Amino acid sequence: MTTSASAPPEPEDAINGGGTVTDRLVEANERYAAAFSDPGMDARPVLQVAVVACMDARLDLHDALGLELGDCHTIRNAGGVVTDDVIRSLTISQRALGTRSVVLIHHTGCGLESLTEDFRHDLEMEVGQRPAWAVEAFRDVEQDVRQSMQRVRTSPFLVHTDDVRGFVFDVKTGLLREIDPT
């Protein structure tokens, strides 16, 4: 498999070779847009599913799940944690855009396993203001998936909570392992 990650440009090369990484992304978009044609879809996911996952760059959700453009809503954050903002997005996804199922995906080797809530304290010491958000660090990925499933199932804002399933993605094998909610 070839990815841009297999041969990352050195930061100096990106700057000396015509700009920043963001410049590279904008140039890639121009090439994409030149061949782009409107697929004629609306914002409602064809499969009526929302996937909540970690932002980790090793997770290519569309390939891993066999998804195509328009199949699902994808909500990503550090850890794939079900936060108030994730509930907000899921509520809009369900109530305004027709999703009925929720798939939660955490993964092995997550960076949140090595953090603690001390991270917030350290930020406060550095910048002089304590973040309003929790780090949501965890030690047991399976338990964190269970907690996320429970948060979705008990949210009063979500109307479809009967098809909520949680998984751990193995970053070494690419396989999903389903987590029993109990």
Side-chain angles (χ1 to χ4, degrees), residues 45-51 67 71-74 93 98-103:
V46 173
L47 300 179
Q48 297 182 322
V49 63
V51 178
L67 295 167
D71 281 348
C72 73
H73 284 158
T74 306
S93 178
T99 59
R100 300 290 181 261
S101 301
V102 178
V103 174

Side-chain angles (χ1 to χ4, degrees), residues 146-159:
R146 285 185 196 96
Q147 176 178 293
S148 291
M149 285 189 280
Q150 185 65 17
R151 286 179 178 175
V152 171
R153 287 187 173 129
T154 60
S155 173
F157 306 109
L158 299 174
V159 291

Side-chain angles (χ1 to χ4, degrees), residues 1-9 24 57-60 63:
M1 174 166 88
T2 304
T3 67
S4 61
S6 62
R24 222 175 90 210
R58 297 171 290 181
L59 278 65
D60 184 344
D63 272 355

Side-chain angles (χ1 to χ4, degrees), residues 134-178:
V135 174
E136 297 275 358
F138 55 86
R139 295 282 179 253
D140 181 338
V141 68
E142 290 185 15
Q143 183 54 35
D144 203 59
V145 171
R146 285 185 196 96
Q147 176 178 293
S148 291
M149 285 189 280
Q150 185 65 17
R151 286 179 178 175
V152 171
R153 287 187 173 129
T154 60
S155 173
F157 306 109
L158 299 174
V159 291
H160 302 287
T161 58
D162 54 325
D163 188 12
V164 178
R165 294 171 65 184
F167 301 85
V168 174
F169 177 87
D170 187 313
V171 298
K172 301 288 186 201
T173 67
L175 289 172
L176 288 176
R177 179 171 39 90
E178 188 158 11

Side-chain angles (χ1 to χ4, degrees), residues 36-44 46 69-70:
F36 182 80
S37 63
D38 180 0
M41 307 174 170
D42 70 11
R44 297 175 198 282
V46 173
L69 182 67

Side-chain angles (χ1 to χ4, degrees), residues 21-43:
V21 172
T22 303
D23 292 331
R24 222 175 90 210
L25 299 175
V26 171
E27 290 168 9
N29 174 257
E30 290 169 359
R31 289 188 299 277
Y32 171 80
F36 182 80
S37 63
D38 180 0
M41 307 174 170
D42 70 11

